[in-house]
Amino acid sequence: MTANWFVERAYGDIRPAYRVAAVLCRVRSRFQKIEILETTSCGRMLILDGTIQLTERDECIYHEMMAHVPLFAHGRARRVLIIGGGDGGILRETLKHNVEHVTMVEIDQRLIDECRRHLPRVSGNAFADPRVTLVIGDGASFVAKAQDKYDVIIVDSTDRVGPGRVLYTSTFYGNCSRVLASGGILVNQNGMAFLFPEHLKLTFQRRKPFFRDTSFYLATIPNFFGGALAFGWATNRSRPRQEFGTLLRERYTAARFETQYYSPAVHLCSFVLPPIILRHLS
């Protein structure tokens, strides 16, 4: 970080920069470097190993699309597994649904602690909800040993570096398929679609042997440089991502909570992939 500026270096020759008003946290846990900055343009910002994970200004887009797309598509999810998500945003959005139990597996307790201290609006009161079981441990190992079944699995991980790299393997996807209940849905963070199409192709090929339906959906998050962020989608249901809009609208209306970005129309449109992405899904 230069004086008063944070420069993100995750994109090679292109380096977005943000003016910094204050450094709230800069520590190294057992697993990664954690920084939380107060920026002049986007509010507070979480950075892991030099890569932006969220800003207060647009975190709602990421967390709403990762949680509400699979949960509204499923329609009857009762047991949810969240892998990663130490900032608590996915947990916050998941608990808005009529779920009975959420297991959250996060490898880095220090990340949870720092986010609760410096980014309290992101998680709200989610960690205190009695429906939540928090497990501090490796998500891939947890899924490999799990005996329970889950209706929805949400993998809110970093990219294919650091502690998140094991969450992009064929072994992990196979274990997720095993612990999904009948009709279950798996989604995961899958990187910038236009900048890293080879990442989409690799994860698509690794998931495909284990699921009847594998694809991606997209959302544009201003502070994730490079256009549309891809979310991986996998399920053994026949056509849940093509549910009629009327059914999604009925579920959304019945849920009786407000969203800032997600809507049934956005849900349906997010699965419309342009040819530049579709050509990698083979």
Side-chain angles (χ1 to χ4, degrees):
M1 191 176 89
T2 59
N4 300 320
W5 288 84
F6 167 72
V7 181
E8 187 172 26
R9 303 174 186 272
Y11 303 102
D13 295 336
I14 302 172
R15 296 183 176 182
Y18 297 79
R19 187 180 295 276
V20 176
V23 176
L24 305 177
C25 168
R26 181 175 290 139
V27 299
R28 183 169 291 280
S29 73
R30 289 179 54 207
F31 304 99
Q32 57 203 335
K33 182 180 179 181
I34 303 167
E35 297 174 276
I36 300 175
L37 310 178
E38 184 80 52
T39 70
T40 59
S41 60
C42 303
R44 296 187 176 187
M45 174 185 289
L46 172 64
I47 303 157
L48 298 180
D49 287 335
T51 301
I52 296 171
Q53 304 300 308
L54 67 83
T55 76
E56 287 182 315
R57 186 172 183 179
D58 59 10
E59 57 86 10
C60 63
I61 304 174
Y62 179 90
H63 292 132
E64 288 183 7
M65 290 299 286
M66 181 160 260
H68 300 322
V69 169
L71 287 165
F72 278 123
H74 189 287
R76 300 177 302 278
R78 294 294 176 262
R79 296 180 60 84
V80 177
L81 173 63
I82 300 172
I83 303 293
D87 55 73
I90 295 297
L91 187 61
R92 177 196 75 206
E93 294 302 317
T94 298
L95 292 169
K96 293 179 180 179
H97 292 260
N98 187 29
V99 296
E100 294 175 356
H101 189 263
V102 181
T103 301
M104 177 175 164
V105 184
E106 165 60 54
I107 198 169
D108 197 342
Q109 178 70 62
R110 186 68 182 271
L111 175 61
I112 295 174
D113 294 341
E114 298 297 343
C115 287
R116 294 185 73 178
R117 181 177 299 115
H118 299 292
L119 291 163
R121 290 193 298 174
V122 174
S123 61
N125 295 318
F127 286 103
D129 194 296
R131 292 174 291 172
V132 176
T133 297
L134 176 62
V135 177
I136 302 301
D138 177 79
S141 296
F142 179 90
V143 172
K145 299 173 184 176
Q147 299 301 312
D148 293 329
K149 297 285 187 177
Y150 301 93
D151 299 306
V152 170
I153 300 175
I154 302 173
V155 186
D156 179 15
S157 68
T158 55
D159 293 328
R160 293 176 299 160
V161 295
R165 63 184 178 275
V166 296
L167 303 177
Y168 294 92
T169 64
S170 297
T171 300
F172 176 70
Y173 295 134
N175 286 327
C176 285
S177 178
R178 179 182 60 81
V179 302
L180 274 177
S182 177
I185 299 170
L186 164 70
V187 297
N188 74 310
Q189 188 277 120
N190 223 120
M192 307 310 295
F194 291 89
L195 289 182
F196 307 113
E198 70 282 358
H199 185 189
L200 267 68
K201 184 171 185 176
L202 180 63
T203 53
F204 178 79
Q205 291 173 340
R206 288 177 175 176
R207 282 196 302 259
K208 192 173 181 180
F210 305 106
F211 299 94
R212 178 184 297 178
D213 178 33
T214 61
S215 188
F216 299 91
Y217 61 100
L218 306 176
T220 300
I221 302 169
N223 288 297
F224 284 1
F225 175 80
L229 178 73
F231 298 91
W233 167 277
T235 181
N236 284 317
R237 302 177 89 183
S238 55
R239 295 169 65 86
R241 62 186 165 100
Q242 297 170 329
E243 296 272 24
F244 293 112
T246 300
L247 180 55
L248 282 176
R249 286 194 295 272
E250 289 174 354
R251 292 173 179 171
Y252 181 70
T253 300
R256 296 186 178 181
F257 60 79
E258 294 184 355
T259 52
Q260 299 183 68
Y261 184 89
Y262 175 91
S263 72
V266 169
H267 179 137
L268 292 170
C269 291
S270 70
F271 282 96
V272 180
L273 304 178
I276 196 171
I277 293 177
L278 284 172
R279 67 176 61 128
H280 296 286
L281 308 189
S282 60

